[in-house]
Amino acid sequence: MKHEIFRQLGYIQQTLSQNKKPIGIFLAAGCPLAVRVNHRSDIETQKEESDPIIQDVAGLTRVILERLNSGNSGAPSNCDRLVLQMLQDGVLESNIELILSQIRALKQVVGKGTVKEFTSDELDCLDKGICEIIFDQVDKPLLSFDTPYHHLASWARALERDKPVNIFTTNYDLLMEQAMEDEGCPYFDGFIGARNAFFDLRTVENENLLNSGWSRLWKIHGSINWRIDERKNVVRSDQKDSKQSYLIYPSHLKYDQSRKMPYLAMLDRLKAFILAPSSALFIVGYSFSDDHINDVILQSLRSNATAIVYAFLYGKLEQTKYNKAIQCAKATSNLNVIAFDKGIIGRKTGTWFLKEAGKSYDIPGNIVKLFKAQEEVNGENVEVDKVEFQLGDFELFGNFLRDISANEITDETFNK
């Protein structure tokens, strides 16, 4: 089966250009990979090497394990011991989310004794050490105003809206906040105040108290500038205080009320958004590895036939990391998955094609790539025309939003 690109682009572009429809953008761990930072120049070849501004979960896990390992001291570190214990329990590939979940699960039952040969103090120290490394790794500034985050912020404030733009993210970094402030895009993130902004659940749950021109920023897994203060209150602050603990939870274990409240409130915002009539959510950089979020998305979509979700995946569809994305899309007709080579639309998997290749030049953001490839046909290798739909590249998705907000295209582009 095949899916025609212009047909899908027409709906996507028209939806993103509306000011009356509930529109949401969901950013996950793959998004910072689109922002590169030059770190070395090879003088002989005049080529610059670059790294992503922030590593993905796998990269972050590698850094943490390297920093917390035993080195040459001989005795295994607490982190080494925990990973080995998880391996013995059948967790073959530990990542930072699973590791923090394990730590916090053990903390629930350790009491004043030991559990799995860990004391409460050892678990606390390990939790704090991991969170400090996460802070160090993701506390990075955007060094340019020409980033997909800035294009997203510019698009969000481009129209006078009857319904606010909702931006959801599982990332702990402050890249979206910086871009919105750079672009003068007002937003509400659940906190009120300046010095130690406090989490205000009443305003979160009653958005009609806020102007619709203010975008909403919901950080589902917490943030590096969220803290729990001495009174167990959740605050947002840039001040570093040793008496405050970081409120980041890539784990989904809600082990005390102070951590439970923001996490559930953020998930509730996602659920309420998808349940809104005719809502449209566009997901970028997410591989559907989080079962808690998947459950919220799928159950909400099944309860609201007027809602639709587009998930843009980076690279080809048939990768192991996208198995859950494929399962979710095939189980829910109003969840559409768009990878570079294929899409799942209305539960049907098909390759992309263009009826008129010349129209690719009318598409904003360079999100469609035409190329030649060798393919076996009737036992012979022949050259065939191929097309890729690259909205799953966050950089190109940002360019697409930039062009929409700049009014460089109109609805007629997709109806010629």
Side-chain angles (χ1 to χ4, degrees):
M1 184 175 182
K2 294 187 176 183
H3 296 306
E4 212 281 320
I5 288 178
F6 262 83
R7 182 176 180 181
Q8 298 305 319
L9 265 178
Y11 177 81
I12 293 169
Q13 186 267 330
Q14 290 168 18
T15 300
L16 289 169
S17 300
Q18 290 186 27
N19 63 352
K20 298 182 182 296
K21 192 179 186 72
I23 301 174
I25 307 291
F26 187 111
L27 308 178
C31 292
L33 300 180
V35 181
R36 312 295 295 188
V37 178
N38 295 329
H39 64 88
R40 189 179 68 180
S41 177
D42 187 329
I43 297 177
E44 292 184 3
T45 62
Q46 296 299 309
K47 289 183 178 180
E48 289 185 334
E49 295 182 2
S50 63
D51 288 327
I53 190 169
I54 295 172
Q55 296 285 342
D56 60 6
V57 173
L60 187 59
T61 301
R62 284 194 298 271
V63 171
I64 290 171
L65 294 182
E66 288 172 2
R67 291 196 182 182
L68 295 181
N69 70 13
S70 58
N72 297 320
S73 63
S77 68
N78 288 336
C79 186
D80 293 334
R81 291 168 52 211
L82 183 70
V83 172
L84 178 60
Q85 176 245 105
M86 292 174 68
L87 179 63
Q88 293 171 344
D89 288 343
V91 182
L92 301 181
E93 295 185 10
S94 297
N95 62 41
I96 191 55
E97 296 189 356
L98 296 175
I99 291 171
L100 273 178
S101 292
Q102 180 73 349
I103 292 171
R104 293 170 181 178
L106 295 177
K107 286 174 70 172
Q108 279 193 313
V109 298
V110 65
K112 295 183 179 179
T114 62
V115 59
K116 295 279 188 178
E117 300 181 356
F118 287 96
T119 67
S120 177
D121 287 343
E122 288 174 331
L123 293 170
D124 284 337
C125 184
L126 192 51
D127 193 329
K128 182 179 179 181
I130 289 173
C131 288
E132 287 177 347
I133 296 174
I134 290 175
F135 182 95
D136 177 65
Q137 290 295 303
V138 307
D139 185 25
K140 308 293 183 182
L142 293 168
L143 302 178
S144 163
F145 292 98
D146 185 26
T147 73
Y149 290 96
H150 287 88
H151 300 328
L152 170 53
S154 177
W155 162 81
R157 70 170 179 85
L159 296 175
E160 293 291 334
R161 299 181 185 275
D162 291 345
K163 302 286 186 180
V165 172
N166 282 261
I167 300 173
F168 303 91
T169 181
T170 55
N171 301 338
Y172 333 117
D173 60 64
L174 304 178
L175 301 182
M176 194 67 247
E177 288 93 327
Q178 179 188 330
M180 296 177 87
E181 292 164 12
D182 287 346
E183 293 292 332
C185 178
Y187 67 92
F188 174 67
D189 64 352
F191 291 82
I192 297 175
R195 182 172 175 273
N196 280 314
F198 60 92
F199 185 76
D200 186 35
L201 186 60
R202 185 178 75 96
T203 306
V204 169
E205 293 182 338
N206 295 276
E207 289 188 62
N208 59 330
L209 299 174
L210 298 170
N211 189 296
S212 61
W214 284 51
S215 296
R216 314 300 197 248
L217 178 61
W218 308 122
K219 306 194 77 169
I220 298 174
H221 283 174
S223 180
I224 58 172
N225 64 346
W226 291 13
R227 308 279 194 274
I228 302 176
D229 65 16
E230 292 179 284
R231 296 183 297 171
K232 299 297 182 181
N233 294 324
V234 179
V235 299
R236 185 194 64 206
S237 174
D238 291 331
Q239 301 179 33
K240 296 182 180 180
D241 187 338
S242 61
K243 296 180 181 179
Q244 297 179 345
S245 61
Y246 295 111
L247 188 59
I248 54 179
Y249 29 76
S251 74
H252 308 291
L253 191 65
K254 303 167 285 292
Y255 63 90
D256 61 42
Q257 188 63 30
S258 60
R259 293 177 186 266
K260 176 180 178 181
M261 185 262 290
Y263 174 76
L264 293 183
M266 297 296 110
L267 278 183
D268 187 60
R269 289 302 89 206
L270 178 61
K271 179 180 179 180
F273 173 82
I274 299 176
L275 289 175
S278 301
S279 63
L281 181 66
F282 299 90
I283 299 176
V284 191
Y286 181 55
S287 63
F288 285 77
S289 61
D290 188 323
D291 290 332
H292 294 75
I293 293 176
N294 295 348
D295 186 61
V296 169
I297 292 173
L298 297 184
Q299 294 300 327
S300 301
L301 284 175
R302 289 164 184 163
S303 299
N304 182 14
T306 67
I308 192 165
V309 172
Y310 273 91
F312 305 129
L313 307 182
Y314 187 91
K316 294 185 177 181
L317 178 64
E318 292 169 351
Q319 301 181 53
T320 302
K321 64 180 179 180
Y322 294 143
N323 286 345
K324 287 187 177 180
I326 294 171
Q327 293 171 7
C328 291
K330 289 187 174 181
T332 313
S333 60
N334 45 350
L335 169 59
N336 298 321
V337 165
I338 292 179
F340 284 12
D341 59 335
K342 297 178 182 179
I344 304 176
I345 309 296
R347 299 187 181 182
K348 297 179 180 178
T349 304
T351 56
W352 298 114
F353 80 101
L354 279 173
K355 284 184 178 178
E356 298 179 42
K359 283 188 175 183
S360 64
Y361 298 103
D362 296 327
I363 298 175
N366 296 318
I367 58 175
V368 173
K369 178 183 177 183
L370 301 173
F371 61 99
K372 302 284 187 179
Q374 294 291 322
E375 190 172 281
E376 186 174 323
V377 179
N378 297 325
E380 296 184 3
N381 286 329
V382 297
E383 190 175 70
V384 296
D385 293 323
K386 290 284 187 178
V387 60
E388 287 187 344
F389 193 7
Q390 298 185 340
L391 270 174
D393 184 328
F394 184 49
E395 180 179 7
L396 299 184
F397 180 73
N399 293 342
F400 185 68
L401 293 179
R402 176 199 61 200
D403 291 351
I404 291 174
S405 60
N407 296 317
E408 294 180 5
I409 55 175
T410 64
D411 293 348
E412 286 74 21
T413 299
F414 298 98
N415 296 310
K416 293 180 180 178

